[in-house]
Amino acid sequence: MVGALGAVLPLLLAGCVQGQWNRVRYEEPIPAGALERFAIGSEATAVFAALGAPTAVWELAQGGAALVWAHDGEVRLGISASVTFDDSPVLPSLGFGDDRGRVRGVMVLLNRDFKVQEVRSGDLGSLAPPPRRPSPE
Amino acid sequence: MTTQHRLLPALRGFALMLALSVAPACTLGRMSENEPLDPTAVRALEPGVSTAAQVVAVLGAPTDVVPIGRRSAYRYDAQKTKVAALVLIVFNMGHVDRRSDRVWVFFDEEDRLTHVAATFASHRTKYALPWSDVHSEKSMRKADAKREGMQP
């Protein structure tokens, strides 16, 4: 009897409670030690040898270029529950999730001579991208 | 016929339904964008020698062109994504792995190649579950060995 109840309970719960464990990986993380292979004043060639091809490139307003290498390793754990009331037109839903991992990356700013001017790394959202040169009208 | 004999087919049906309901559902999916880039062709490009016309003749039309002052940069890319999901009744797991081949070529004001930046990783994409280590050195070396032009 207990065994049957144990088998049926997940079926009954499935309508209102669900757990999830998802992982999304976009691109590969920056190789360990790669940022030590170049320094301020290094040629762009050294940066490309260490980091490979950037995810994005744009022209800086003051001249030169910004190069970004981005990767994402988001993990989402969560459980959600919903309950339906007969006299209610809405479906109340409760849920929580744990988003660990953000889009991380490295931003390298090159001057007009294509030499490293600045290196930033961390959460891409907090890297404060420098302004782009506006597109010609 | 006893009550026990009348209930048996019903119990069997219930057990079958239960087994089908709780049977795990495994889903695999694969998506590709653009043709994979050729590492050998990219290595043949010579900074200081190759021109933009020669690069386009080898690699085709770029995905993007970015002007940088008097310079310009062309982007080539191809992506591969593999998705694996295990859909259970009350607990679901999923994993998405997306990697790219990406090449940026930079030209000076005379359209001569100055820099090449290349990453070839689309072949390393794996089907996996959330706890798997898909970025291990061993795993990547194994995938590289199978792709033409990736051997050192």
Side-chain angles (χ1 to χ4, degrees), chain A residues 74-130:
Chain A
E74 180 190 343
V75 178
R76 180 165 176 83
L77 295 165
I79 185 166
S80 60
S82 61
V83 183
T84 307
F85 296 105
D86 287 342
D87 55 351
S88 169
V90 294
L91 299 175
S93 179
L94 302 169
F96 73 87
D98 174 22
D99 289 312
R100 286 186 293 164
R102 296 174 182 153
V103 180
R104 298 185 63 80
V106 173
M107 181 184 291
V108 175
L109 306 185
L110 301 179
N111 63 18
R112 290 171 193 270
D113 298 325
F114 259 41
K115 290 185 177 174
V116 177
Q117 180 179 302
E118 191 179 336
V119 180
R120 304 175 188 176
S121 63
D123 288 343
L124 220 52
S126 65
L127 291 186

Side-chain angles (χ1 to χ4, degrees), chain B residues 5-94:
Chain B
H5 283 112
R6 278 202 305 271
L7 281 176
L8 203 56
L11 278 173
R12 278 187 186 148
F14 178 74
L16 182 62
M17 289 292 290
L18 192 63
L20 289 173
S21 301
V22 300
C26 188
T27 305
L28 299 176
R30 188 169 70 171
M31 289 156 278
S32 297
E33 191 177 322
N34 297 335
E35 288 288 319
L37 302 175
D38 181 356
T40 309
V42 173
R43 284 204 192 94
L45 302 175
E46 289 184 75
V49 177
S50 303
T51 63
Q54 289 169 330
V55 170
V56 169
V58 171
L59 298 180
T63 316
D64 194 14
V65 175
V66 177
I68 305 169
R70 292 178 178 175
R71 300 170 186 263
S72 56
Y74 295 4
R75 187 183 83 208
Y76 293 87
D77 58 14
Q79 293 178 342
K80 193 174 280 181
T81 306
K82 288 184 179 174
V83 180
L86 192 61
V87 183
L88 302 171
I89 295 295
V90 291
F91 188 71
N92 306 316
M93 287 184 287

Side-chain angles (χ1 to χ4, degrees), chain B residues 1 4 32 47 49 53 56 65 89-90 102-104 117 150-151:
Chain B
M1 187 182 274
Q4 190 178 2
S32 297
V49 177
V56 169
V65 175
I89 295 295
V90 291
R102 199 167 47 247
V103 172
W104 282 92
M150 289 299 292
Q151 293 76 21

Side-chain angles (χ1 to χ4, degrees), chain A residues 10-104:
Chain A
L11 288 173
L12 298 175
L13 281 176
C16 58
V17 178
Q18 280 198 324
Q20 58 173 321
W21 181 10
N22 294 317
R23 186 159 200 171
V24 178
R25 284 163 159 139
Y26 290 145
E27 306 304 337
E28 292 175 354
I30 305 295
L35 297 181
E36 282 79 55
R37 292 170 58 192
F38 59 90
I40 305 297
S42 296
E43 294 280 349
T45 309
V47 178
F48 298 141
L51 300 175
T55 315
V57 172
W58 70 86
E59 185 182 15
L60 297 173
Q62 74 270 21
L67 316 174
V68 169
W69 287 259
H71 63 94
D72 187 6
E74 180 190 343
V75 178
R76 180 165 176 83
L77 295 165
I79 185 166
S80 60
S82 61
V83 183
T84 307
F85 296 105
D86 287 342
D87 55 351
S88 169
V90 294
L91 299 175
S93 179
L94 302 169
F96 73 87
D98 174 22
D99 289 312
R100 286 186 293 164
R102 296 174 182 153
V103 180
R104 298 185 63 80

